[in-house]
Amino acid sequence: VNRERLLTSSIPALFDIVFPRFCLGCGDGLLETRRTWLCPRCLARIEPLGMAHCPVCAADLGAGAAVSACSSCLGLRPNFTAAVAVGKYDGLLRELVPRLKFGREGRLAWPLAELLHETLILHPRYPEIDAIVPVPLTLRRRVTRGFNQAELIAEEVARRTGLPLLRTAMRRVRRVPPQVSLSRTDRLRSPIRTMSCRDLPQALAPALRRLPEKIGELLGHRLQSPVGDRTVLLVDDVMTTGATLKEATRALLAAGAREVFVGAVARA
Ligand SMILES: [Zn+2]
Ligand SMILES: [Zn+2]
């Protein structure tokens, strides 16, 4: 044993010898980097969105695009204000997200949330965000998977930002389209999944108004949706068409959210 070398090594280096840290991407040692979770080689495999991406929905605009937003956002602006993503759903992100989701490697939420947080704070309107809501899973999927990957990521982002995580503000509801023209089998085959926010039941509002002002106010506040009058960051693992995120945004805005930003780890 080279005692001199051991004695001159810094405390962090000693810490690494006692508790070796390994890259969560490839398993290599992390002694040479100040990063906590991923080695430089793995980080280099993140496919950035690039300069030419839609500032609203983060979709790729293609090289040398001269338009200010993608054709679908120009046609009909989404209800969320802007979507932020770490990179394309490719390379490293296409390995880590499925490992978190299907391989049940919950610890992968740490580096993914760290990357998302680093991307988020670069957005000029980031300081306005004052609450975080994860995109909910259907109850069935939640039960079979045992966890919600979006929630794991949102939890870590919330910890880093210090913003409140409104874990149960929203849930999925299964709603059959009301068209009577559809046959029964068609209706059963194509249920539209929608989101719903916990909110003050409409029927209760008149009853609250009859109570003494202070009590009614207090009760109303208690029963009201926690997203009311907040600028919400809606967190998901992968943003694909954005349909789910638009539906979740609709529910948040309906429950009184001021504005909704989307934060996804990857943009497909
Ligand atoms: Zn690595
Ligand atoms: Zn767009």
Side-chain angles (χ1 to χ4, degrees):
V1 180
N2 186 338
R3 282 183 63 198
E4 202 174 56
R5 204 167 144 198
L6 195 65
L7 285 171
T8 51
S9 56
S10 61
I11 298 299
L14 265 176
F15 188 84
D16 279 341
I17 292 162
V18 183
F19 305 101
R21 294 180 294 133
F22 299 99
C23 171
L24 293 183
C26 67
D28 272 3
L30 283 176
L31 300 182
E32 303 301 319
T33 166
R34 290 181 54 202
R35 278 277 184 170
T36 331
W37 320 114
L38 296 167
C39 76
R41 268 192 315 281
C42 281
L43 286 170
R45 288 194 299 115
I46 293 173
E47 296 282 339
L49 292 180
M51 291 305 286
H53 67 269
C54 175
V56 183
C57 74
D60 198 4
L61 291 179
V67 285
S68 57
C70 76
S71 55
S72 67
C73 288
L74 282 174
L76 181 68
R77 217 185 149 86
N79 48 5
F80 52 78
T81 304
V84 166
V86 175
K88 291 178 187 157
Y89 191 48
D90 227 325
L92 182 76
L93 298 179
R94 202 166 188 150
E95 290 166 26
L96 297 191
V97 172
R99 272 172 57 192
L100 165 67
K101 218 156 141 173
F102 308 114
R104 302 167 170 279
E105 289 186 68
R107 60 184 183 164
L108 288 174
W110 306 335
L112 294 176
E114 185 170 87
L115 291 165
L116 180 54
H117 178 232
E118 283 170 6
T119 312
L120 272 170
I121 55 178
L122 299 176
H123 197 277
R125 298 199 52 204
Y126 164 74
E128 293 170 51
I129 293 168
D130 51 22
I132 298 179
V133 176
V135 171
L137 289 181
T138 58
L139 183 63
R140 195 169 149 191
R141 187 160 288 173
R142 169 87 207 207
V143 167
T144 50
R145 191 171 290 165
F147 64 95
N148 174 0
Q149 71 283 351
E151 193 180 312
L152 293 184
I153 296 163
E155 202 170 67
E156 289 298 315
V157 171
R159 217 163 50 77
R160 284 172 167 80
T161 55
L163 294 171
L165 174 69
L166 308 178
R167 204 185 290 274
T168 58
M170 190 167 29
R171 65 192 178 93
R172 294 247 188 171
V173 290
R174 190 177 252 237
R175 207 170 283 160
V176 175
Q179 290 100 312
V180 280
S181 56
L182 284 177
S183 72
R184 189 182 139 77
T185 43
D186 275 346
R187 268 186 283 139
L188 289 177
R189 205 181 295 138
S190 57
I192 298 170
R193 288 210 177 84
T194 56
M195 316 265 180
S196 157
C197 279
R198 182 156 58 84
D199 204 357
L200 177 69
Q202 286 299 312
L204 272 181
L208 284 177
R209 276 198 291 275
R210 278 198 299 272
L211 289 169
E213 196 182 338
K214 278 273 176 281
I215 299 172
E217 220 170 72
L218 196 75
L219 263 178
H221 192 73
R222 280 275 172 169
L223 293 166
Q224 225 168 34
S225 171
V227 302
D229 209 31
R230 299 227 204 199
T231 298
V232 176
L233 174 72
L234 185 60
V235 172
D236 207 356
D237 52 346
V238 182
M239 175 178 179
T240 315
T241 59
T244 310
L245 291 159
K246 282 175 200 164
E247 169 54 17
T249 301
R250 184 205 54 77
L252 289 168
L253 294 173
R258 217 180 299 139
E259 217 173 332
V260 178
F261 288 84
V262 168
V265 169
R267 179 68 163 99

